[in-house]
Amino acid sequence: MIEILEAIQKSAIRIKNAIDVKDIGYSQEQNSSGETQLQLDIQSDLIIEEELSCVAGIHTIASEEKELPMVLNESGRIFVAFDPLDGSSLVDVNLSVGSIFGIYEGAFTGKKLIAACYVVYGPRVELVFAHEGKVKLYLLQDGEFEYVKQIHLEPKGKIMAPGGTQQFWAPYHKAMIDSFFATGYRLRYSGGMVPDLHQILLKGGGLFSYPGAADKPEGKLRQLFEVFPFALIFEMAGGQAMDGKIRVLDKTTAHVHDTSPCFFGSSYEIAVVLDVYGRN
Ligand code: F6P
C-alpha cells in the first residue's frame, strides 16, 4: 500500500506542475511556443498511468478518461480506479480541482474497496488517504507530503452542497434540501466534487448530494472513480454514504463507468435522507 501511496504522491506533484503551466486550460490546442498541447485531464491521466505502472502489486487500472480497464501485471492483486482530474473545466476559472483514487483488492466492486485517496489542487495541495479505519490529511510542502492530522466528522454539520439541476429534482428531494436550508445550513457548492467534499470533511460535517433526477435517473457521478472512494473516506471518518436507500458500497457495478445517486454526510443529515427517501 505504501508503494501505491508514493506513486499517487509523485503523480500529484507532476499534475500540480502541469496545472501551473500558464497557458494550459486557456488554449487546449497549442501552447505559447505553438506546440500542440494535451488537455490537462488527458495529461493527468498519462502521468498517473505512468506512475502506477511502476508498482508491481497492481493488477489492473481503470481511468475515468478511458473506456476500458488496462491490465498491468497478471500476478498483482490490487485494482486501482482513478479520476485523474475531476472537475477539470474549473481550472479555466481558477477554482480548485482534484484527483480521486479507489484501491480495490481483486476486483472493481464496492465490497472490495480497501483504501481510497484524493488530492486537492487549490491554493495548497492537500492529500487525504483512508485505509484501515483511519482518514489522514497530508499537505505538500517543499516537494514532500507532510502528515497534518486525522479527519473525523461531527455527528451533525452546517454545510449543504446540493448537486444536479434543480429543475429536474424530484419534489421530495427539493423539499428536503429546502428544509435543511430552513434550519440554518449554508450553501457551499463549487461544482468540483473534490473541493466540495473536502470542505465538508474538514469543517466537520454537512451533506453533499447528487441525486437521481428526471434528466439523470442514476445520477452523474461514477461509482468506481468518484462515489466509492469518497464513500470509504466518509465512512472511515465517521460519516455515511448512501444512494438514498442503501449504502453505496453495497451496490453492484456492471460496467466500469456505472454511475449512482449519492449522499455523503454526517450521521444526522444521512438519517434525514434515509427518512425522506424511505417514504418516497
Ligand atoms: O464529475 C464531475 C463533476 O464536475 C464533479 O466534480 C461535480 O461534483 C459534478 O460534476 C458537478 O455536477 P453539476 O454541475 O451537474 O452539479
Side-chain angles (χ1 to χ4, degrees):
M1 192 56 71
I2 188 75
E3 280 181 41
I4 296 177
L5 181 58
E6 282 170 5
I8 291 174
Q9 292 176 340
K10 282 187 200 157
S11 313
I13 293 169
R14 290 177 62 190
I15 292 171
K16 167 68 179 158
N17 292 339
I19 293 171
D20 284 348
V21 172
K22 74 173 190 297
D23 46 9
I24 282 188
Y26 299 108
S27 155
Q28 296 185 334
E29 298 295 326
Q30 293 193 326
N31 65 15
S32 52
S33 327
E35 295 160 337
T36 303
Q37 198 135 22
L38 288 177
Q39 288 181 22
L40 205 43
D41 42 10
I42 308 289
Q43 210 180 337
S44 305
D45 184 41
L46 292 174
I47 289 172
I48 295 172
E49 183 184 313
E50 208 172 282
E51 294 297 344
L52 292 181
S53 299
C54 302
V55 183
I58 299 179
H59 185 287
T60 297
I61 55 173
S63 166
E64 202 264 345
E65 291 295 329
K66 294 206 178 77
E67 184 53 24
L68 295 172
M70 184 193 290
V71 176
L72 293 182
N73 180 0
E74 294 283 358
S75 62
R77 62 188 176 89
I78 299 296
F79 285 51
V80 183
F82 57 92
D83 186 346
L85 202 63
D86 188 77
S88 55
S89 65
L90 297 175
V91 173
D92 297 4
V93 292
N94 203 16
L95 285 172
S96 299
V97 290
S99 305
I100 313 169
F101 302 83
I103 300 158
Y104 301 80
E105 190 162 22
F108 285 127
T109 157
K111 291 200 170 81
K112 300 277 184 184
L113 185 64
I114 55 168
C117 183
Y118 68 84
V119 182
V120 196
Y121 310 98
R124 297 190 294 236
V125 177
E126 292 182 331
L127 181 151
V128 170
F129 183 61
H131 181 47
E132 293 176 335
K134 291 191 180 123
V135 183
K136 295 180 178 171
L137 172 70
Y138 298 83
L139 171 67
L140 181 63
Q141 271 184 321
D142 302 325
E144 307 231 335
F145 280 94
E146 307 279 345
Y147 172 74
V148 179
K149 63 173 182 175
Q150 231 177 287
I151 296 178
H152 298 284
L153 284 172
E154 301 295 334
K156 182 178 187 302
K158 297 186 181 125
I159 295 176
M160 198 48 39
T165 310
Q166 293 202 25
Q167 178 193 4
F168 299 115
W169 287 355
Y172 56 86
H173 181 80
K174 175 148 179 47
M176 179 185 78
I177 298 294
D178 287 347
S179 75
F180 279 118
F181 285 124
T183 56
Y185 281 79
R186 317 267 313 250
L187 176 66
R188 294 289 182 267
Y189 192 77
S190 73
M193 179 183 200
V194 175
D196 288 339
L197 284 166
H198 189 57
Q199 179 161 207
I200 291 176
L201 284 163
L202 289 193
K203 299 249 164 103
L207 181 71
F208 174 100
S209 49
Y210 207 108
D215 59 333
K216 294 185 178 83
E218 287 306 313
K220 172 185 184 187
L221 301 176
R222 319 256 175 141
Q223 293 181 352
L224 296 183
F225 318 107
E226 297 173 307
V227 178
F228 292 170
F230 271 108
L232 192 83
I233 292 166
F234 267 68
E235 289 188 357
M236 287 189 180
Q240 295 179 59
M242 299 284 167
D243 74 350
K245 295 195 191 278
I246 65 163
R247 193 175 164 250
V248 290
L249 288 173
D250 286 338
K251 291 180 78 95
T252 51
T253 304
H255 186 270
V256 278
H257 291 277
D258 279 358
T259 61
S260 170
C262 53
F263 298 83
F264 302 95
S266 331
S267 41
Y268 171 81
E269 293 85 8
I270 294 292
V272 174
V273 171
L274 293 177
D275 177 50
V276 169
Y277 274 72
R279 287 186 277 110
N280 287 282

